[in-house]
Amino acid sequence: NAGVTQTPKFQVLKTGQSMTLQCAQDMNHNSMYWYRQDPGMGLRLIYYSASEGTTDKGEVPNGYNVSRLNKREFSLRLESAAPSQTSVYFCASSVRDILNTEAFFGQGTRLTVV
Amino acid sequence: DAKTTQPNSMESNEEEPVHLPCNHSTISGTDYIHWYRQLPSQGPEYVIHGLTSNVNNRMASLAIAEDRKSSTLILHRATLRDAAVYYCILRDAEGTYKYIFGTGTRLKVLA
């Protein structure tokens, strides 16, 4: 079982470049999330999608855009990368049903902006 | 969103029980209490969750105070593989189903 798959695993960008982080889940989950984790810190929510066709801002959305392409895929785009966006990015998914509330995380994308 | 407070770090000896505390004094009646852990260089993984009653699974037990303002994650016999950062988070079942993480507790297991 693949679970939550993130690509790429590592990326180095120059300031001002753009890129899209890809996330796909094969568990038929309705909800998907993007988090960032800075060194020594907890995870902070960037954006989330409660269901296909909807997206909402989390704690730290500035500088990012998202697309819920279909039920399986949720991408995160950096339009003009900045050094402050150097971080590890995690995608997660969960079933919306309140009786089944476990979230599954990908292995992360380590992004460095120079 | 309700907030959680956890100690920054804790230590335990291998094969001994570990009690990881979490305070959530502003919890609402609909908030589920969730615990996740993050092993080094990995994404978080689910450990356990509960609403009002104590919960047990193969990984751990969750003890919830009667007033629900605090909870404790119990690892019955710590192993070296349990060394991780443990996060206590609240999920609002009537809200937008988003998880908000705090800084967690870093558990060190001594051989």
Side-chain angles (χ1 to χ4, degrees):
Chain A
N1 293 331
V4 178
T5 303
Q6 293 183 233
T7 55
K9 288 185 171 51
F10 300 94
Q11 184 71 48
V12 178
L13 288 179
K14 294 181 178 179
T15 297
Q17 286 185 319
S18 61
M19 80 161 295
T20 300
L21 280 63
Q22 306 286 354
C23 175
Q25 52 90 10
D26 60 2
M27 297 170 282
N28 201 37
H29 285 170
N30 290 310
S31 298
M32 298 185 73
Y33 315 81
W34 275 106
Y35 288 88
R36 62 175 287 175
Q37 185 173 36
D38 299 328
M41 304 286 287
L43 282 76
R44 291 185 292 171
L45 182 65
I46 305 171
Y47 271 93
Y48 65 100
S49 172
S51 61
E52 185 179 357
T54 68
T55 60
D56 287 284
K57 295 178 180 179
E59 299 175 272
V60 288
N62 292 342
Y64 305 95
N65 286 302
V66 291
S67 295
R68 184 72 183 268
L69 304 170
N70 47 56
K71 193 171 186 179
R72 290 187 64 248
E73 299 172 288
F74 188 37
S75 63
L76 178 72
R77 182 160 179 85
L78 287 71
E79 291 292 350
S80 179
S84 61
Q85 295 178 304
T86 293
S87 190
V88 181
Y89 291 84
F90 290 100
C91 176
S93 71
S94 68
V95 176
R96 195 172 182 179
D97 190 300
I98 63 171
L99 297 180
N100 187 358
T101 56
E102 178 179 356
F104 293 82
F105 285 79
Q107 290 299 300
T109 295
R110 189 174 297 274
L111 175 67
T112 301
V113 182
V114 297
Chain B
D1 298 311
K3 302 296 184 185
T4 61
T5 304
Q6 300 175 254
N8 287 334
S9 62
M10 292 184 65
E11 284 188 359
S12 173
N13 293 319
E14 198 176 9
E15 302 295 318
E16 290 187 356
V18 182
H19 291 233
L20 298 166
C22 180
N23 287 322
H24 29 78
S25 58
T26 59
I27 192 171
S28 72
T30 56
D31 281 341
Y32 283 78
I33 302 160
H34 290 249
W35 284 82
Y36 283 75
R37 72 179 186 181
Q38 187 175 22
L39 302 172
S41 300
Q42 295 191 25
E45 66 174 347
Y46 169 83
V47 177
I48 200 167
H49 78 278
L51 183 62
T52 56
S53 303
N54 294 344
V55 184
N56 300 295
N57 66 21
R58 64 175 180 80
M59 288 183 70
S61 295
L62 176 60
I64 301 172
E66 194 168 338
D67 63 5
R68 301 204 334 119
K69 294 185 184 299
S70 66
S71 61
T72 302
L73 179 70
I74 303 166
L75 306 180
H76 297 285
R77 290 181 63 193
T79 70
L80 297 178
R81 289 173 295 178
D82 291 322
V85 178
Y86 287 78
Y87 296 99
C88 165
I89 60 178
L90 302 182
R91 168 172 162 139
D92 182 0
E94 293 184 1
T96 50
Y97 298 88
K98 61 183 189 235
Y99 292 89
I100 302 292
F101 283 71
T103 53
T105 297
R106 182 174 298 278
L107 176 65
K108 184 176 181 180
V109 180
L110 306 175

